[in-house]
Amino acid sequence: MNKQKENYLKVILGLFSMTLLIYIGSTLFKKVRIDFTEERLYTLSNGTKSILNKLDSPINLKLYYSKTAANKGTEGLRAFNNHFLYVQELLRQFVSNSRNNLKLEVIDPRPDTPEEEDAVMYGLKKFNLTETERYFFGLVAENESGTEKIIEFFDPNQKDKLEYELTKLIYTVLNPQKKNIGILSSIDVLVDDLNPYMAQIMRMQGKDVNQSWLVTQLLSEFYNVKKIEKDTKSISGVDSLVIIHPTGFSDDTLFAIDQYVLNGGNVLVFTDPNTVSLKSSSMYGTSSSPDNNFKKLMDKWGIELQENSYAGDRYLSGYGRFHPNRPPGRLLALLNCNEVCTEQYNDNITSGINDAAFVFPGVLKAKSIEGVKHSVIMSTSNKGNAYRAQGYELNNPDILWKKFTEGSSPVVIAYKAMGKFKTAYPNGTKKKEKKNNKQFLKESKKESVVIVFSDVDFISDQFAFKNTFLGASVANDNSTLFLNSVEAISGDMDLMSVRSKGRVNRSFDVINEIEFEAEKRTADKVKEINASIARFQSELNQLGSKANAGNIALLQNEGIKKKKELAKNIAALKKELRNVKREGREKVERIGKFFQYFNTMFVPFFVIVFGIYYNYKRSSLMQGRREIINHKKDSHHTENFTEVKA
């Protein structure tokens, strides 16, 4: 009975302890979270926490989600529930780290209710499911002074950017005063937008409609963007300066840039030895910068762009085509930078940048300048190298690959120079009067920062964005890298550190090398097939030109025979091509199966080994105990026998 009561007591105490632990965990330790991911993907970044700590007044967050409509909708629409739970949980983390300055309200806007009217009034994106049912999924942030900012719609495809979007929303409410960013460019990246009606008429007439680049539109969300004319004689009223494709600037403009830097201004420069995205390109698509005049400024910054040289990397080369009529393949000109390009430099600008696409990026070199510190921002991998090409060679992928040899050290495509600089115009400019020349600076008053990238195309609409049914959307991390760089020179490092926490795409070097070698082996076969098809088309065209009323039947029969003959050759080549591709695919599959079996068998194997070890230790312990008990019994019997004998 005592043993039974003891067991009941143990069960009761166990249940009480479990209830107590659950209560403590759900109350006292509610904010305690453990994130075991290497990149801390499920933890608010320091930039977010820093911005939340700056909150000194309440901000109301209204999360509008049509949960009822989603549950009654299609299976695809119900899938949004998972994304809603993720958004809601992340917002709760924001609230818990806001020192009670954030308040979250979750609203399900039903038809013909004030909540639905508010969602429409705020400007949230709506989707008409039926005649009466509408679907909303957006957020409104509002402070006490009436400042309102919204996220129109939460796109599940942009899940990796969610923390940035939320932090940006709070940041814009917290900092309504925008900094001034000046943009100076030799190309029309910032233009006055036309009336949509006039723009449509011009398109119908076949005329080109100049529009601002999308990166400048993104920039205007955070800053007051000011266009600096190419012939300006002074730069003032801007906190930071962005220079895109510097070529053709007058001496007065160059002198104004020089003096702006010496006065402590920070500058972001995008140069390019081959800007393929410009409509003003020549027949070979070349439009280069900087020109010789701007190189004088870069020389004082200690940064040089090598002429007709490009950065390449076989393992970072992108997949695509130069021309619609060409088959797709590996392109040396397209450099897809992942964490390999950035992780070794630990720069906040590129922290978390995992998918940045550059087109014909140039090669940057740095030279020692007294009082100036140079640091690399981005580069190729250790196997990258520089290659030289010009003219028609730039449009021929095969020629570029023949010119390229694998290197042993990274090729730099982005540099940062920080310190005190000296003027590139020690005697001023010829156009200025001598009395004004005496007033200019010959060296920096205080430290400033100059960041130089060797590519312009990566921030153009063509390579940084894509069109979706929701409108223009980011295609990669190019626009993020641009905004990070602007924020670096404008001092907004908190928001930058949030944005750089994007998704992490791990590279599989062994698999990439296997696939690259397989593609390399099949390249000749692909060329052979395409050449055979081209020869066939040429022969058919020649037969067609010889056709007339008397021999058309004969020529048709001859064409059919040639077609059948060529079809057999193509089939044989394709079979050989499949065999080569299968060889590389089988290697990749074998690696995948190995890790699949390893992951599947590891836990059972570990349990079995642990069980055997535990059983062995338990048996040894029990054997030891039995020996001790037997020894005590033997000693006791010996003592009793001695007493009886006595």
Side-chain angles (χ1 to χ4, degrees):
M1 290 295 293
N2 292 333
K3 188 68 174 178
Q4 188 176 9
K5 290 181 179 179
E6 183 181 350
N7 290 335
Y8 285 145
L9 183 60
K10 288 180 179 179
V11 172
I12 294 172
L13 290 175
L15 293 174
F16 177 76
S17 300
M18 185 180 300
T19 304
L20 182 62
L21 288 174
I22 293 174
Y23 174 77
I24 293 174
S26 60
T27 55
L28 299 179
F29 295 99
K30 185 177 181 180
K31 295 183 180 180
V32 176
R33 299 173 181 272
I34 301 177
D35 189 350
F36 290 102
T37 58
E38 181 181 355
E39 298 81 14
R40 313 290 292 172
L41 296 177
Y42 301 98
T43 304
L44 293 184
S45 65
N46 293 331
T48 297
K49 294 178 180 178
S50 177
I51 290 175
L52 294 176
N53 287 332
K54 295 176 182 177
L55 290 174
D56 55 3
S57 60
I59 295 178
N60 294 323
L61 301 176
K62 298 180 181 180
L63 177 60
Y64 287 86
Y65 180 64
S66 303
K67 188 173 183 178
T68 304
N71 291 332
K72 295 192 303 183
T74 63
E75 182 178 353
L77 191 59
R78 288 195 298 273
F80 277 76
N81 286 336
N82 292 331
H83 189 49
F84 161 71
L85 294 176
Y86 178 74
V87 173
Q88 181 180 242
E89 177 60 26
L90 194 57
L91 284 171
R92 286 174 177 171
Q93 291 189 47
F94 274 70
V95 172
S96 63
N97 286 273
S98 66
R99 300 182 303 166
N100 297 323
N101 284 310
L102 288 181
K103 295 181 180 180
L104 176 63
E105 182 181 2
V106 181
I107 302 172
D108 183 3
R110 302 299 298 135
D112 302 322
T113 62
E115 289 78 10
E116 184 188 52
E117 293 177 2
D118 290 341
V120 174
M121 180 187 67
Y122 284 128
L124 301 183
K125 190 178 291 291
K126 62 181 179 180
F127 300 90
N128 296 321
L129 303 181
T130 63
E131 291 184 359
T132 58
E133 195 77 61
R134 295 176 180 177
Y135 178 80
F136 296 89
F137 190 12
L139 182 69
V140 178
E142 185 177 13
N143 62 10
E144 291 181 330
S145 62
T147 302
E148 297 174 359
K149 298 294 180 180
I150 68 169
I151 295 178
E152 293 183 349
F153 179 74
F154 287 107
D155 185 359
N157 295 325
Q158 299 294 324
K159 187 176 182 179
D160 54 314
K161 308 294 184 184
L162 180 58
E163 184 185 352
Y164 159 68
E165 291 294 336
L166 297 176
T167 308
K168 180 185 73 173
L169 187 73
I170 296 172
Y171 177 84
T172 52
V173 175
L174 182 63
N175 299 278
Q177 297 296 330
K178 298 180 179 180
K179 290 188 176 181
N180 298 318
I181 301 296
I183 295 184
L184 173 61
S185 177
S186 61
I187 53 182
D188 292 330
V189 299
L190 185 63
V191 298
D192 295 331
D193 293 332
L194 287 175
N195 181 285
Y197 177 73
M198 292 298 299
Q200 183 65 23
I201 292 178
M202 292 179 64
R203 292 190 184 96
M204 293 175 63
Q205 294 175 349
K207 298 180 180 179
D208 293 333
V209 179
N210 290 333
Q211 293 181 321
S212 299
W213 285 14
L214 290 177
V215 290
T216 63
Q217 298 178 27
L218 288 177
L219 199 63
S220 62
E221 294 183 12
F222 304 103
Y223 307 97
N224 294 318
V225 181
K226 177 182 178 182
K227 182 178 180 180
I228 307 297
E229 298 298 335
K230 294 183 292 185
D231 58 351
T232 185
K233 296 182 179 180
S234 64
I235 299 175
S236 60
V238 295
D239 299 299
S240 302
L241 179 64
V242 178
I243 302 175
I244 301 175
H245 203 56
T247 181
F249 294 160
S250 65
D251 284 339
D252 287 337
T253 302
L254 296 173
F255 184 75
I257 298 172
D258 177 85
Q259 294 297 293
Y260 178 80
V261 173
L262 298 185
N263 272 293
N266 298 329
V267 178
L268 173 62
V269 182
F270 296 93
T271 64
D272 200 323
N274 179 23
T275 313
V276 301
S277 59
L278 296 186
K279 295 181 180 180
S280 58
S281 303
S282 66
M283 62 179 296
Y284 297 119
T286 59
S287 179
S288 63
S289 65
D291 57 13
N292 290 330
N293 290 330
F294 196 84
K295 287 179 181 179
K296 293 189 299 184
L297 295 180
M298 292 181 58
D299 182 65
K300 293 299 179 180
W301 302 336
I303 301 176
E304 176 192 2
L305 180 73
Q306 293 191 339
E307 190 174 357
N308 295 330
S309 293
Y310 305 92
D313 194 319
R314 59 180 296 193
Y315 299 104
L316 298 176
S317 57
Y319 196 81
R321 63 180 75 196
F322 263 66
H323 193 274
N325 297 329
R326 287 181 176 269
R330 289 275 185 178
L331 301 179
L332 182 62
L334 182 59
L335 187 69
N336 285 334
C337 284
N338 52 29
E339 64 273 11
V340 175
C341 302
T342 61
E343 61 184 359
Q344 59 183 317
Y345 306 117
N346 296 322
D347 195 290
N348 287 328
I349 295 174
T350 56
S351 176
I353 297 297
N354 308 300
D355 182 21
F358 297 87
V359 185
F360 283 112
V363 179
L364 293 176
K365 297 286 185 180
K367 67 176 183 178
S368 178
I369 299 290
E370 183 180 357
V372 178
K373 179 182 178 182
H374 294 91
S375 57
V376 179
I377 297 177
M378 296 189 74
S379 71
T380 66
S381 70
N382 292 332
K383 296 182 179 180
N385 203 354
Y387 63 96
R388 300 181 68 86
Q390 56 184 343
Y392 72 94
E393 298 173 338
L394 297 171
N395 278 349
N396 194 319
D398 298 330
I399 293 179
L400 297 182
W401 279 115
K402 290 179 181 178
K403 285 178 167 288
F404 180 78
T405 57
E406 190 172 295
S408 58
S409 60
V411 179
V412 179
I413 59 176
Y415 257 119
K416 177 169 64 176
M418 183 172 61
K420 293 185 176 181
F421 304 95
K422 294 184 179 180
T423 181
Y425 294 87
N427 299 320
T429 59
K430 296 180 180 178
K431 295 182 180 180
K432 288 188 174 289
E433 298 178 4
K434 293 184 178 180
K435 62 178 181 179
N436 292 332
N437 281 334
K438 295 179 181 179
Q439 299 175 357
F440 70 85
L441 298 175
K442 294 187 177 181
E443 60 183 27
S444 295
K445 286 184 175 181
K446 56 182 179 179
E447 287 191 347
S448 54
V449 176
V450 175
I451 297 175
V452 179
F453 282 85
S454 64
D455 188 32
V456 170
D457 296 306
F458 86 97
I459 61 173
S460 66
D461 296 355
Q462 180 180 353
F463 298 104
F465 299 90
K466 60 182 178 181
N467 293 322
T468 66
F469 74 97
L470 294 174
S473 176
V474 294
N476 41 44
D477 290 338
N478 288 12
S479 59
T480 300
L481 181 59
F482 172 77
L483 294 176
N484 284 358
S485 303
V486 174
E487 287 170 356
I489 63 173
S490 62
D492 297 331
M493 302 300 292
D494 289 336
L495 190 59
M496 183 190 69
S497 64
V498 178
R499 180 179 293 110
S500 62
K501 190 192 170 186
R503 63 186 177 272
V504 175
N505 299 323
R506 299 187 181 276
S507 60
F508 298 92
D509 295 336
V510 175
I511 293 177
N512 289 342
E513 187 168 356
I514 292 173
E515 292 178 343
F516 188 86
E517 291 296 334
E519 290 179 5
K520 188 176 180 180
R521 288 194 298 271
T522 60
D524 293 337
K525 295 300 178 184
V526 172
K527 291 179 184 178
E528 189 173 348
I529 293 173
N530 292 329
S532 299
I533 295 175
R535 286 197 303 271
F536 170 66
Q537 294 293 345
S538 177
E539 291 175 3
L540 283 185
N541 292 335
Q542 291 178 1
L543 290 174
S545 63
K546 297 178 181 178
N548 53 50
N551 63 359
I552 186 170
L554 179 64
L555 292 176
Q556 285 180 345
N557 291 333
E558 185 178 350
I560 292 173
K561 290 180 181 179
K562 286 183 177 293
K563 184 175 182 179
K564 289 181 178 180
E565 180 181 355
L566 185 60
K568 292 180 180 179
N569 295 333
I570 292 175
L573 291 172
K574 287 185 175 180
K575 181 178 180 180
E576 187 174 357
L577 182 64
R578 287 194 300 271
N579 292 334
V580 176
K581 287 185 175 181
R582 185 172 63 250
E583 178 184 349
R585 186 172 62 253
E586 288 175 350
K587 287 183 179 180
V588 174
E589 290 175 354
R590 283 197 296 270
I591 295 175
K593 288 180 179 179
F594 168 77
F595 284 104
Q596 180 182 0
Y597 294 148
F598 177 79
N599 292 334
T600 304
M601 299 300 297
F602 176 75
V603 174
F605 177 76
F606 176 78
V607 172
I608 292 172
V609 171
F610 179 77
I612 295 174
Y613 174 77
Y614 177 77
N615 185 61
Y616 169 76
K617 296 294 290 184
R618 186 173 180 273
S619 299
S620 300
L621 182 61
M622 294 301 296
Q623 180 67 26
R625 288 180 177 178
R626 284 194 293 268
E627 290 178 356
I628 293 173
I629 293 173
N630 292 334
H631 178 70
K632 288 182 178 180
K633 287 182 178 180
D634 292 341
S635 299
H636 182 68
H637 289 320
T638 302
E639 291 176 358
N640 290 339
F641 177 76
T642 303
E643 290 177 359
V644 172
K645 186 175 180 181

